[in-house]
Structure formats: C-alpha cells, structure tokens
C-alpha cells in the first residue's frame, strides 16, 4: 500500500444503496441520496468549499436502512445521521460548513 495525500481533511458519507424492488430492507438511494449529493456539490462549489477541507461521497449501505430518508455520516462513518434529503439539505450544508470552519 502507498499512502496518498488528499486536499481534504473530512469526508461526509451519503448512502446511495439501491436494492432490487421487493427487498427486505429499504434503500436510501430511492429517497434522494444522489440528488442530495449533487445539490451539496453545486452549493459547495459555489461557496468555494468543495474539496477544500471536506468532500462529500456516496457510499454503499451503512447498515441502517430507514423507510424514508438518507443515512449520512459527518465523521467518516463513526456516527450516523438520518436525514430527509429534501427538507433537511440546508441543515446538512450548515453542518458541512462547520467542518470547514474548524
């Protein structure tokens, strides 16, 4: 393995799992995960904070599967947050701004 230096210090994870129809567990990917990440990326780029200290990435299942909403992590997966991708996206962006200003 070879360590690589990245331009960011924090990674925000957004679950984007899309299970087949009829699966036992629900899927964050059907509740706006990709749209949330795309919106965050646009807003963060407009503010000049995308990739500066924090990067938002989609990920596979984080093993908490709500019937609605998206699971996110602001600390690399150590703790998880249940987010409504549409109504709470401004709150998600504010949390990310806090990571950048630290």
């Amino acid at each position: 393995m070879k360590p690589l230096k990245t331009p960011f210090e924090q990674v925000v994870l957004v679950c984007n799992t899309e299970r087949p129809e009829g699966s036992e567990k629900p899927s964050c990917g059907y509740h706006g995960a990709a749209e949330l990440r795309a919106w965050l990326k646009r807003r963060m780029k407009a503010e000049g904070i995308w990739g500066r200290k924090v990067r938002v990435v989609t990920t596979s299942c984080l093993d908490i599967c709500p019937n609605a909403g998206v699971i996110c992590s602001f600390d690399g997966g150590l703790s998880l947050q249940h987010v409504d991708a549409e109504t709470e996206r401004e709150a998600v962006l504010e949390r990310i701004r806090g990571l950048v200003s630290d």
Side-chain angles (χ1 to χ4, degrees):
M1 290 186 284
K2 180 180 177 183
L4 301 173
K5 181 141 177 73
T6 64
F8 45 89
E9 298 170 12
Q10 302 283 339
V11 175
V12 174
L13 305 175
V14 177
C15 177
N16 193 30
T17 297
E18 292 185 359
R19 291 185 178 83
E21 192 172 321
S23 292
E24 265 184 52
K25 289 183 172 185
S27 301
C28 293
Y30 296 125
H31 298 284
E35 294 84 355
L36 174 62
R37 183 190 178 275
W39 181 86
L40 288 167
K41 184 175 180 178
R42 281 192 307 275
R43 290 288 302 269
M44 291 170 67
K45 279 186 169 188
E47 295 180 25
I49 59 175
W50 178 262
R52 193 173 99 208
K53 281 182 96 175
V54 62
R55 187 71 180 235
V56 179
V57 298
T58 53
T59 185
S60 61
C61 186
L62 294 168
D63 210 27
I64 303 289
C65 307
N67 287 326
V70 176
I71 299 299
C72 298
S73 176
F74 298 92
D75 59 9
L78 297 175
S79 65
L80 303 175
Q81 302 288 317
H82 178 220
V83 173
D84 183 298
E86 191 171 316
T87 64
E88 295 180 306
R89 63 187 187 177
E90 288 286 348
V92 171
L93 180 58
E94 188 60 34
R95 180 89 181 256
I96 291 169
R97 287 182 185 126
L99 295 174
V100 173
S101 65
D102 291 348

